[in-house]
Amino acid sequence: MRRSSGFAPTEPPQPSPRRHNAVLRLYDAPLHRDWAFWLTVGLAALETVSVLTHPGPASGLPRWLDTLLAVVVFTALFGVLPAWIRLHVRRWRRRRHHPRPAPPDSATRPPSDTPPPSVAPPTDHAPPPRTAPPPHTDPPPHTGPSPHTDPPPRTAPPPHTDPPARTAPPPHTTPPPRQTAHQEPVPPPAFARPETPHPPSPDPLAAARRTLPHPVARTVHEMQRAHTPKDRHEALLEAAETLAATVTVTAAGLLTAYGVGERNLAELRTALAGTGTTFGTWTTWLHHLCRVARERPDVVPGLAEALRDGSDMAARPDDPGLVQLLDRLKGERNRTSHGDKPRTQEEAALRVTEHQLTLERALASAQFLAGLPWLLTVSCAYQRRTGTFEVVADHLMGDHPDFDRLTFPCAAPVADDTVYVLSPAGPVALSPFVASLYCEQCGRREICHANVAGRRNRTAAYKSFGRGHVIPHPELDDEISALPGTRPPRR
């Protein structure tokens, strides 16, 4: 996708906002827009000229002292006094229309005698725990000063107390995932998940850019910053296909770790051994995954609700599930690939308007991926004092290409330079479905998904999420062969 560069035309400067009683608590800022300031200055100048040009007898005082006293008296009476009266009128109007709320009950309640919970020492790079408010109190309403009036008197702040530590989630009751020859051991659920400091957004595109795995968030960002309707249409279809691939490889990695859905994994292996993966490969596989997601909702939390396949949550035409929404976008992709591309910018804009709502609903249905963050491990070191492993990993979430680096303890070792998904049972490796490989065409490392298995006349390869570049990787063939199902004969 081409990116145009340039600078937007500069806009005319906007006038400064008026701030009441900001100068000496009497005059408004900026001063040239306040009538009381000009009244004061005008009276001072008028009185100065009047006294200096008065032809009457002298009062016995020096001319300069006589002029100064007259200017001070007249300016104070007819300039400063009206400004002072205006200040009190404004305060009275503010108290009338915005009465001061009563202090909350928590401000007068004596401190509890129960000791605070113990706070675990944070690691070097892990984000600090959040302080949750007490469940029996409501947050005090905002009582900040209005931008047009003086701030009310400050109240004494409450006594400082140490923030309570976040309670650990209850232990997971599902059986631990089955370990395979090519799978890393899964530690118990003692890992604190990374938290996002941003509040949730009602905009599905903004929420996807912030909370979903990087491949999806990046394509959504590319769609939003596209300069022409044709580029936006192409980026929309790319975001839909990337979303389908991300959901598929995440579910496939968890199925492999838990040892369930062998028939589904065999189907995915057959597709990899055939002509390779396409948009239809992902949607067809998700259709067949509905039964497993309904029977084992603990394997991929939130997937059964997103697919809406079941007697109590069956998808309706007016409320389709994730796969039905992806099928509609796949139909637009097939239409575009078979020669019916938008010919003009106007046609592309109409087709974007037609399918953007479908993509937004699909992104909203896939928000369960925000609870299954991706991690790219950097190092894993054994800590002799605690008997755990200190893991350093990149947080592969959000659209920013510079990933946050996390440091956390883990009960079992993990492999370096491997993409993991943080499940309720702990980190689970997404290999061989996802890998971080060096792309010679891009000149940097890229997050890739398995594309095709090896045959006699071809090499197993990954495909980059970002640019779609095919990266040969012979070791992928052996990992795909270890998946359940009968291996097809080489050709």
Side-chain angles (χ1 to χ4, degrees):
M1 181 183 302
R2 296 183 178 179
R3 301 179 181 175
S4 63
S5 60
F7 298 94
T10 58
E11 298 181 357
Q14 301 295 329
S16 302
R18 187 172 183 179
R19 294 175 289 117
H20 288 186
N21 302 106
V23 180
L24 301 178
R25 302 178 67 90
L26 293 176
Y27 304 105
D28 299 344
L31 288 173
H32 66 272
R33 296 171 58 185
D34 187 11
W35 62 267
F37 171 75
W38 288 112
L39 177 64
T40 304
V41 174
L43 287 175
L46 180 63
E47 185 62 21
T48 301
V49 174
S50 177
V51 173
L52 292 178
T53 58
H54 183 64
S59 61
L61 296 175
R63 179 58 61 95
W64 65 268
L65 183 58
D66 196 9
T67 304
L68 178 62
L69 292 177
V71 169
V72 170
V73 171
F74 275 83
T75 304
L77 288 178
F78 302 104
V80 178
L81 183 60
W84 181 80
I85 296 174
R86 182 183 63 173
L87 170 64
H88 284 269
V89 170
R90 285 177 174 175
R91 289 181 176 179
W92 173 77
R93 293 180 59 185
R94 180 182 178 276
R95 288 193 298 266
R96 179 180 178 183
H97 295 284
H98 302 281
R100 183 179 303 175
D105 296 340
S106 59
T108 58
R109 183 179 291 108
S112 176
D113 295 336
T114 58
S118 59
V119 179
T123 56
D124 295 338
H125 301 276
R130 289 183 171 180
T131 304
H136 56 272
T137 60
D138 294 330
H142 178 71
T143 58
S146 172
H148 300 289
T149 55
D150 289 335
R154 296 183 178 179
T155 57
H160 175 73
T161 57
D162 295 334
R166 226 173 45 167
T167 57
H172 196 63
T173 57
T174 56
R178 188 182 66 178
Q179 304 297 327
T180 58
H182 65 282
Q183 194 77 18
E184 294 296 329
V186 178
F191 173 74
R193 299 188 181 184
E195 298 179 356
T196 172
H198 305 281
S201 172
D203 184 7
L205 298 181
R209 289 179 53 183
R210 188 180 65 252
T211 60
L212 293 187
H214 178 69
V216 181
R218 183 201 62 82
T219 54
V220 173
H221 187 193
E222 291 291 338
M223 185 190 73
Q224 287 189 311
R225 67 189 302 271
H227 298 287
T228 64
K230 284 187 177 182
D231 292 342
R232 189 175 181 86
H233 179 261
E234 181 181 353
L236 184 147
L237 299 180
E238 181 184 354
E241 184 173 357
T242 303
L243 176 62
T246 302
V247 175
T248 299
V249 296
T250 303
L254 292 172
L255 290 181
T256 304
Y258 277 83
V260 298
E262 294 185 357
R263 180 177 299 179
N264 302 89
L265 295 174
E267 179 184 354
L268 184 57
R269 172 187 169 182
T270 303
L272 292 171
T275 58
T277 57
T278 61
F279 200 161
T281 303
W282 311 126
T283 55
T284 302
W285 193 81
L286 290 176
H287 270 294
H288 298 165
L289 187 65
C290 293
R291 183 182 61 84
V292 179
R294 183 175 65 253
E295 295 176 353
R296 293 294 305 273
D298 58 295
V299 177
V300 188
L303 180 60
E305 292 80 1
L307 298 179
R308 295 180 183 272
D309 181 76
S311 57
D312 55 340
M313 59 180 69
R316 302 186 303 272
D318 58 336
D319 188 18
L322 175 60
V323 187
Q324 287 74 22
L325 295 170
L326 292 175
D327 278 337
R328 299 177 184 178
L329 298 170
K330 182 189 66 175
E332 178 65 15
R333 163 69 81 180
N334 294 338
R335 175 186 175 186
T336 303
S337 302
H338 295 160
D340 191 9
K341 292 184 178 181
R343 295 291 188 267
T344 62
Q345 298 291 351
E346 292 76 13
E347 182 184 0
L350 290 175
R351 289 165 73 166
V352 167
T353 304
E354 178 183 357
H355 296 284
Q356 181 171 340
L357 179 59
T358 304
L359 176 63
E360 292 178 356
R361 297 177 66 182
L363 291 171
S365 299
Q367 275 297 316
F368 68 92
L369 292 175
L372 298 170
W374 286 16
L375 303 174
L376 176 60
T377 54
V378 177
S379 63
C380 180
Y382 178 71
Q383 304 297 310
R384 181 176 56 84
R385 184 176 59 85
T386 59
T388 59
F389 295 86
E390 185 181 77
V391 179
V392 180
D394 289 335
H395 192 216
L396 306 183
M397 304 295 285
D399 61 342
H400 202 283
D402 297 330
F403 305 119
D404 294 334
R405 182 151 293 186
L406 308 176
T407 301
F408 57 91
C410 192
V414 296
D416 293 346
D417 197 21
T418 304
V419 179
Y420 282 79
V421 59
L422 185 59
S423 71
V428 173
L430 292 181
S431 177
F433 307 107
V434 184
S436 174
L437 302 176
Y438 177 78
C439 178
E440 295 182 355
Q441 302 180 54
C442 299
R444 63 174 181 268
R445 300 187 69 87
E446 291 284 338
I447 306 299
C448 311
H449 65 82
N451 181 45
V452 67
R455 287 188 178 181
R456 183 173 303 175
N457 58 347
R458 74 181 182 193
T459 306
Y462 282 90
K463 179 181 286 189
S464 167
F465 275 110
R467 301 298 178 187
H469 296 159
V470 177
I471 305 175
H473 194 73
E475 293 82 359
L476 174 63
D477 197 23
D478 296 333
E479 298 187 32
I480 293 178
S481 301
L483 295 176
T486 305
R487 181 175 181 177
R490 291 182 176 270
R491 299 179 181 178

